[in-house]
Amino acid sequence: MIRRLFLPILFVLLIAPTLVSAQAGAWEVTVAAQLGANWNIYRITPDGVQAPIPLPAGMIISSNLTQMLVSSDLRYAVVTQSSADYSTSYPPRVADLKLGTFYELTLPFNQPGAYTMSGFDPSGTRFALSTVVGAVGPDYPWRGIFGVVDVTTGTFTDYTEQIVMTGLTSSINGWYQLGDWDANGIYMYPSCYACEPPFEGEYAQWSPDTFAYMPVTGVIFSIFAEQLAVTREIVSRAYSTDYPFSTEPTAYFPIQNILVYKPSAAFLPTFEGQTGEHEITSMSPVIFNDPNVVDLSVGQSEWVADGQYVLAVNNGSGMLINRAGGMNPINLGFQPPEVIGTTDGFLALQDNADQIIVHHFTVPGMQDQVLGSLAIGGRLSILATPDLGATAAPVLANFTPVAANFAQLEAIMLAKQPVCPGFMPSRIFPGQQARVTPGAANRLRSIASTSGDVVGQIPGGATFQVIFGPECSENTAWWYVNYEGVQGYTAEGMNGEYWVELVRP
């Protein structure tokens, strides 16, 4: 599972943290903190922050540390690095943390473009490695290689042919996004090289020991969602125009404004259809939407207290949402760059100059215990977190649904709309149905101007979908709309008269 990682000081490594089995009050969290040119590994337990374990001197050769793995027994660590301009990927380096030594892997291929690594296997001595390397021929400049490294010997076993035979294809076969490695095998997902990587999906799983392949696992990775390891339930930051939302343009995904519950991976994706809107159902309800408490576009959400609660937090304040129903506001007194769920509450990390103070809050009592601090002078990476949900299984959550309130939505959205010069305050807003007032038709134009070509008409009384706007021109507000598949700009009115109006439920 890919967790949402954070940026406490400079940057955060993109990794898949190991999930560590834990009972209530007996959890472990492992993190790595950069301090100058080197890194320290810390284990955090209910007893406090343990003494740091430094990576061996000389192991880090670049400021671009792209991935780090640590075995659950803290014996071995692996890092991948690249040059400052990302043009060169250096071979993985393996540390024996007990002996304080490291070596660089000698791999049977040249010109690697990039690496991805899985978590360590249950024995703590193997990890999976996927890479793309230069290949001969102008039509196929890259080829993928997938295999397993034994850190005790430094040997690499190539399994590219075996994994391709499963039917798990990728843009470059052999190149995969890798996740954890548990008793059933390695979690993996097709990836893309020199293009956008996947943001969300359901892992397949393959075992190099038995060659068993499971195309469907129920285990997800997502940059929008968090999943309970035991029950596979999901909370996701999503988008809906039924609730107050941002009309700011975005490059890829709509700005998240709701927190939703999904019982399983079958309810993915987070952003659905062409508009990206979440389909709200009784099985997948909205469980939180209050931008005055937590702005979900920049805030955090996390399963806490063994999955009995979901925490949404931003600017030090937040909401504890009970899986059995109801919610309670909280105030941490500081803004945590990251929260990490435990079996009896959650960790909240607090920036404090050259250190991170580690708080543990019990839930629901919210008793704050300072467990210690991490020395830091750069980046921070979450390496292992408890697997939560044992006390939640097998009963699905019964969160209190947060119903949409159109009157509230209308008041908030219209208050945020700009007033076009020479025109009255707008009465419509994006994402909603509107209608032309009875009488003459409204023209659809190619641009927001009466000089634009007429591409269609909306008859009086007909409804249409407002896509975006307004654009101010010629003393009116122009809206880009969709009417029966024809899209274009239509004017809201002119000379003190409205020509369109909002359709209310």
Side-chain angles (χ1 to χ4, degrees), residues 250-415:
T250 58
Y252 293 103
F253 304 104
I255 296 174
Q256 299 127 57
N257 66 324
I258 56 174
L259 192 63
V260 301
Y261 168 74
K262 297 174 183 285
S264 70
F267 288 79
L268 293 182
T270 293
F271 294 105
E272 304 172 49
Q274 292 184 339
T275 65
E277 287 206 51
H278 169 69
E279 183 180 353
I280 300 167
T281 68
S282 60
M283 289 292 290
S284 184
V286 175
I287 65 172
F288 180 77
N289 166 256
D290 190 344
N292 294 319
V293 178
V294 178
D295 182 351
L296 292 170
S297 67
V298 294
Q300 302 172 53
S301 56
E302 192 75 25
W303 290 100
V304 301
D306 202 35
Q308 296 295 339
Y309 292 81
V310 172
L311 172 64
V313 63
N314 177 226
N315 292 326
S317 63
M319 193 69 72
L320 271 177
I321 309 163
N322 193 329
R323 70 182 288 121
M327 60 183 73
N328 297 298
I330 64 166
N331 192 334
L332 301 180
F334 62 92
Q335 169 57 29
E338 173 70 310
V339 293
I340 303 167
T342 67
T343 53
D344 53 353
F346 62 92
L347 295 180
L349 307 185
Q350 180 183 10
D351 282 339
N352 185 26
D354 59 354
Q355 62 179 347
I356 297 288
I357 299 174
V358 181
H359 297 257
H360 183 262
F361 290 87
T362 58
V363 172
M366 289 300 294
Q367 294 176 323
D368 180 9
Q369 179 185 5
V370 175
L371 298 179
S373 62
L374 318 173
I376 191 165
R379 294 175 285 174
L380 185 72
S381 178
I382 311 301
L383 299 176
T385 60
D387 55 348
L388 305 182
T391 60
V395 180
L396 291 178
N398 188 30
F399 290 104
T400 301
V402 178
N405 182 324
F406 190 84
Q408 180 188 58
L409 171 68
E410 181 180 359
I412 292 174
M413 298 304 296
L414 292 182

Side-chain angles (χ1 to χ4, degrees), residues 486-499:
V486 179
Q487 296 185 358
Y489 289 90
T490 197
E492 188 173 354
M494 199 170 285
N495 299 324
E497 181 184 1
Y498 288 106
W499 298 340

